[in-house]
Amino acid sequence: AVISLMFGIPDTGGVYSDGKFTWSYLLCFGALISFTLIAPKQIFRSYFMESFDDEVNHLGLSAILNSEIGINYFKIHMINELSIESILFWQNAMAWKNAYRTTSVLIREENYIRIFKTFIEHGSIMQINISYDTYENVLRDADRSKNIPETVFDECMTQAVYLMSSNAYPRFLRSELYQRYLSAARGESGGILENQGYL
């Protein structure tokens, strides 16, 4: 009967003409199908999105820095604020630390020098904002007479993250870029990914 009504096929059984099937039945049938097939999907999507947003808000900046999509959106925000040096330093220092046990001493020293001269040395092209004591500690730890320790950039990274979390990150949360990040991240099949790219 439903097919007969929808596609104009003759009602050979006389279901509609005998009053056994009316438009109210058709509407109820359609509502039942919609609720059965569509509602669960919408409920799941709503729950998933709210859970994802809550998780990102709870984890804060660390969720952004450890998301391939998140860090790219945050870098755009930092470029707009003319403060890209902190996040680029964090990426390079993190990559240096992650590769510490798999690279030779020579390559490790070359990458250390590049990072130091780019981000830490006074007057460098992308000098980050760190304390004098931290600067001196980096120089001491990198003494050429001994192997550069794996933790040489840790204090600098901590200060860089603190600076980002207290300045650029709150403004990022209020930006259109953050909303675009949330939309993009909900479809990020890889989940939380560790970014290990050098500058």
Side-chain angles (χ1 to χ4, degrees), residues 99-117:
Y100 186 88
R101 300 177 187 279
T102 58
T103 54
S104 66
V105 173
L106 179 61
I107 297 299
R108 191 186 306 154
E109 285 190 359
E110 288 178 353
N111 285 328
Y112 163 81
I113 292 171
R114 179 179 57 80
I115 294 172
F116 179 84
K117 288 186 173 296

Side-chain angles (χ1 to χ4, degrees), residues 31-150:
L32 179 62
I33 293 297
S34 297
F35 181 80
T36 304
L37 299 180
I38 299 175
K41 180 180 179 181
Q42 294 300 323
I43 293 172
F44 172 79
R45 282 180 56 84
S46 175
Y47 174 79
F48 174 77
M49 290 179 180
E50 289 178 3
S51 298
F52 176 82
D53 294 353
D54 290 344
E55 181 180 357
V56 170
N57 292 333
H58 173 71
L59 293 175
L61 181 58
S62 62
I64 302 294
L65 295 178
N66 289 291
S67 164
E68 188 174 34
I69 291 179
I71 201 168
N72 287 331
Y73 275 99
F74 190 51
K75 281 164 73 173
I76 295 172
H77 174 76
M78 298 286 278
I79 289 172
N80 292 338
E81 292 205 340
L82 304 178
S83 57
I84 189 65
E85 64 277 357
S86 292
I87 195 167
L88 288 181
F89 163 73
W90 182 89
Q91 280 189 290
N92 279 263
M94 181 62 74
W96 184 88
K97 186 173 183 178
N98 289 339
Y100 186 88
R101 300 177 187 279
T102 58
T103 54
S104 66
V105 173
L106 179 61
I107 297 299
R108 191 186 306 154
E109 285 190 359
E110 288 178 353
N111 285 328
Y112 163 81
I113 292 171
R114 179 179 57 80
I115 294 172
F116 179 84
K117 288 186 173 296
T118 303
F119 299 104
I120 298 176
E121 188 175 48
H122 291 317
S124 58
I125 190 171
M126 302 191 80
Q127 182 179 350
I128 59 173
N129 189 3
I130 57 175
S131 68
Y132 175 80
D133 289 341
T134 300
Y135 177 81
E136 290 296 315
N137 289 340
V138 172
L139 291 179
R140 185 192 67 238
D141 289 343
D143 186 348
R144 285 301 189 90
S145 63
K146 59 183 179 181
N147 196 21
I148 301 174
E150 186 177 356

Side-chain angles (χ1 to χ4, degrees), residues 18-30:
D18 290 345
K20 297 177 182 177
F21 191 90
T22 64
W23 282 108
S24 61
Y25 287 123
L26 180 61
L27 293 175
C28 290
F29 180 75

